[in-house]
Amino acid sequence: MSHLPEAPASPPARPPEAVALFNTVLTSELLVNACWAKAQQGTTGLAWPAAYLILPLTLHPETRDSLPRDRRITLARWAVRNHDLLADMEYRVANMALPTKRAIRHGLRARRLGLDGTNLVALARPKSATSQWPTELSDSVKAARFCGQWFNAIETHMAFELLGIGG
């Protein structure tokens, strides 16, 4: 009696909404925008671990809508004011780890992102939102840029702590 190896199971199908929302080009461009915005006010790129915070902060509609418009509001102040949104942040960051990895790999392959030591850097200025862009896309890009700027004012490990991740 011959025992043939079992055929490898096919990867689980992702729902079409997740495929569209977590499209690697879109998610990579959100990271490019965050890196570019950070570089405009700082001297280094976005720390590799901080990249894992960008998508959960910018793609989750309630979180994105709660981000301040005033650049003087710090991540710490925002986190205190929005503790209810942070209740599942650790789960969202873990859930977005694979799309973030895909986005980083795509950005590096497409030469939209580069590495400066362990920091991600935007290799070219990303396009700014226009009135022709869908509102959700425009809002996500603006949120990514805002979050990138936040990381000039805080150490990455403190951001994780403030957001309730890994505690």
Side-chain angles (χ1 to χ4, degrees), residues 40-156:
Q40 297 310 295
Q41 295 180 345
T43 58
T44 63
L46 185 68
W48 188 276
Y52 287 85
L53 300 177
I54 300 299
L55 299 182
L57 288 167
T58 61
L59 291 176
H60 185 257
E62 291 83 18
T63 302
R64 181 180 61 236
D65 292 344
S66 75
L67 293 175
R69 306 293 182 247
D70 184 348
R71 297 176 195 270
R72 294 174 296 177
I73 296 177
T74 64
L75 175 61
R77 187 171 171 190
W78 176 83
V80 167
R81 289 182 175 174
N82 292 281
H83 65 277
D84 55 322
L85 287 172
L86 303 180
D88 69 340
M89 184 60 81
E90 187 166 24
Y91 169 78
R92 283 192 274 144
V93 169
N95 199 36
M96 292 302 297
L98 187 56
T100 299
K101 288 176 188 176
R102 287 183 181 131
I104 291 169
R105 284 193 306 263
H106 175 79
L108 292 170
R109 274 194 314 269
R111 299 195 186 277
R112 299 286 294 145
L113 290 171
L115 289 172
D116 180 11
T118 58
N119 294 323
L120 288 170
V121 295
L123 296 179
R125 179 187 178 124
K127 291 183 180 182
S128 294
T130 69
S131 59
Q132 287 83 25
W133 288 19
T135 303
E136 188 170 10
L137 175 60
S138 178
D139 290 349
S140 295
V141 166
K142 289 175 188 172
R145 288 183 179 187
F146 185 85
C147 290
Q149 292 171 353
W150 259 348
F151 289 104
N152 277 319
I154 191 166
E155 297 285 332
T156 304

